Amino acid sequence: MNEQNEHDVLHEKGANCAHEVARGRAFPHINYTIFQFASSVFNTRSKQHALHVFDKSITIAQALLYAAGGFVLCKQPALLAPYIVIPALSFCVGTALRSLINAPRPAETLDVRALISDNTTTDTTHARIKRGKSFPGKHAFSAWSIAGISMFMALFANAQYADIILVFALVESVIALVICTVRVLGIVHMIQDVIAGFALALIVEAVLCTLWLTLF
C-alpha cells in the first residue's frame, strides 16, 4: 500500500469514527457495562422513581441558582443582558445540533431500558421510548451553559459581586457534573452524549462571549 492509499484509509477511518460518535454508536461495550451496572443498582420501581425525582430536583436547583445569579447581576445591568441572552442562544445552537444529528437513544441501539421515567411509559412494557436527539445531551449542554456563563460573569462583575457569582459558578459546575452522571446512569444518554454536551456548551459560549465583547 502506497503512502497516498494509507492516507486515504486513515482519513476514512477517522471520518467513520467521528460519524459513529456523533450517531451515538461509539464505545458500545463501555456504555453497555455502565448501563448494566445502573440496571442492577436501580432495580426496583421505587429506586427508579427516586432517580427520576433526583434528576428533576438537581436540574431545578441549578435553575434557581442561575436565577439567583441574575438577581445579583441586576446591580450591574450591563452584565445582565449577556447573562440571559448568551445561554439562550447556546441552547438554540445545541437544539439545532441535536435535531440535525438525531442520534439514537441507548434503548434504541443497545439491549437496555431507560430508568428515568420521563423517557418511558410507567407500564411494564415501556413501549413508548423517547427516540433520537440524544447527541449532544440537552441536559448536559444546558447545565454546562449555565455554569459557563456564570464563570464568565464572575470575571467581569464588580469585586463586591464577583465572589458571589464565582461561588454560584462552582456550585453550578458540580451540579452539571452530577446531572451528566445521572443522565448516563438513568440510561437516557450515552457517555459521548454528555461529554459532547459539556465540550460544545463551553465552546459555543466562548465564541458567543467573544462576539459579545467585540460587538458591545
Side-chain angles (χ1 to χ4, degrees):
M1 184 181 294
N2 59 40
E3 184 176 343
Q4 180 60 41
N5 288 339
E6 288 181 356
H7 178 271
D8 292 342
V9 170
L10 289 174
H11 178 76
E12 182 178 354
K13 286 182 177 179
N16 288 339
C17 180
H19 178 72
E20 290 297 296
V21 170
R23 293 295 300 165
R25 291 190 290 263
F27 320 119
H29 299 297
I30 296 175
N31 281 307
Y32 188 71
T33 299
I34 293 173
F35 296 154
Q36 288 294 94
F37 168 77
S39 296
S40 67
V41 172
F42 302 99
N43 55 0
T44 64
R45 287 289 186 86
S46 60
K47 290 180 180 179
Q48 291 169 18
H49 179 68
L51 185 65
H52 169 73
V53 171
F54 182 69
D55 176 56
K56 294 296 184 184
S57 298
I58 56 175
T59 301
I60 293 172
Q62 192 188 46
L64 291 175
L65 274 176
Y66 176 62
F71 179 77
V72 173
L73 289 175
C74 283
K75 310 294 183 181
Q76 281 189 265
L79 295 182
L80 185 59
Y83 185 76
I84 296 172
V85 173
I86 289 177
L89 292 175
S90 296
F91 182 79
C92 291
V93 172
T95 300
L97 284 173
R98 290 172 66 240
S99 298
L100 179 64
I101 297 171
N102 197 28
R105 298 276 172 168
E108 295 181 76
T109 58
L110 299 174
D111 184 22
V112 292
R113 177 179 61 81
L115 301 179
I116 293 179
S117 61
D118 62 342
N119 288 306
T120 61
T121 58
T122 55
D123 60 39
T124 56
T125 62
H126 295 273
R128 291 195 302 112
I129 298 172
K130 187 173 183 180
R131 299 181 182 278
K133 299 182 180 180
S134 186
F135 182 99
K138 179 178 70 174
H139 284 71
F141 191 96
S142 300
W144 286 109
S145 292
I146 288 175
I149 195 63
S150 295
M151 192 69 70
F152 180 77
M153 290 297 106
L155 297 175
F156 291 92
N158 289 340
Q160 63 185 119
Y161 307 123
D163 289 344
I164 299 174
I165 299 298
L166 180 59
V167 170
F168 284 174
L170 293 175
V171 175
E172 287 165 358
S173 296
V174 172
I175 293 176
L177 184 60
V178 173
I179 288 174
C180 290
T181 303
V182 170
R183 301 303 287 180
V184 174
L185 292 179
I187 316 183
V188 289
H189 283 294
M190 299 191 192
I191 295 174
Q192 60 266 28
D193 298 339
V194 298
I195 292 176
F198 160 73
L200 290 173
L202 297 188
I203 291 172
V204 170
E205 290 226 332
V207 172
L208 292 175
C209 288
T210 301
L211 287 174
W212 189 280
L213 289 174
T214 302
L215 296 174
F216 302 100

